[in-house]
Amino acid sequence: MSKLLWRTHFLSGAAAGLLLAGQHTDLRTAAISAGIAGVAALSPDLDDPHSKLGRVVAPAAWAVQVT
């Protein structure tokens, strides 16, 4: 079984953000869209305090941790 890394989640979310931004947007809007979608792609791992996002916002990860 392959382990998905945080980079994989972030990059797939960023790619989706670029696709949703469309081809008629400026570079700044595309970058913001990619960044927001990339971080949003990490949010399902927030309940694991050992995940990348869980370590960044540890109090939130401990509060929503699923046992």
Side-chain angles (χ1 to χ4, degrees):
M1 184 169 135
S2 66
K3 182 178 178 183
L4 291 176
L5 301 174
W6 71 270
R7 288 183 230 68
T8 310
H9 284 129
F10 181 83
L11 290 174
S12 62
L18 286 175
L19 287 172
L20 290 173
Q23 55 183 240
H24 300 293
T25 58
D26 60 358
L27 183 60
R28 181 173 185 254
T29 303
I32 290 171
S33 177
I36 290 172
V39 172
L42 295 175
S43 64
D45 294 332
L46 182 61
D47 64 340
D48 182 7
H50 302 292
S51 69
K52 182 72 166 182
L53 188 61
R55 289 190 306 259
V56 171
V57 287
W62 288 106
V64 297
Q65 183 179 8
V66 177
T67 57

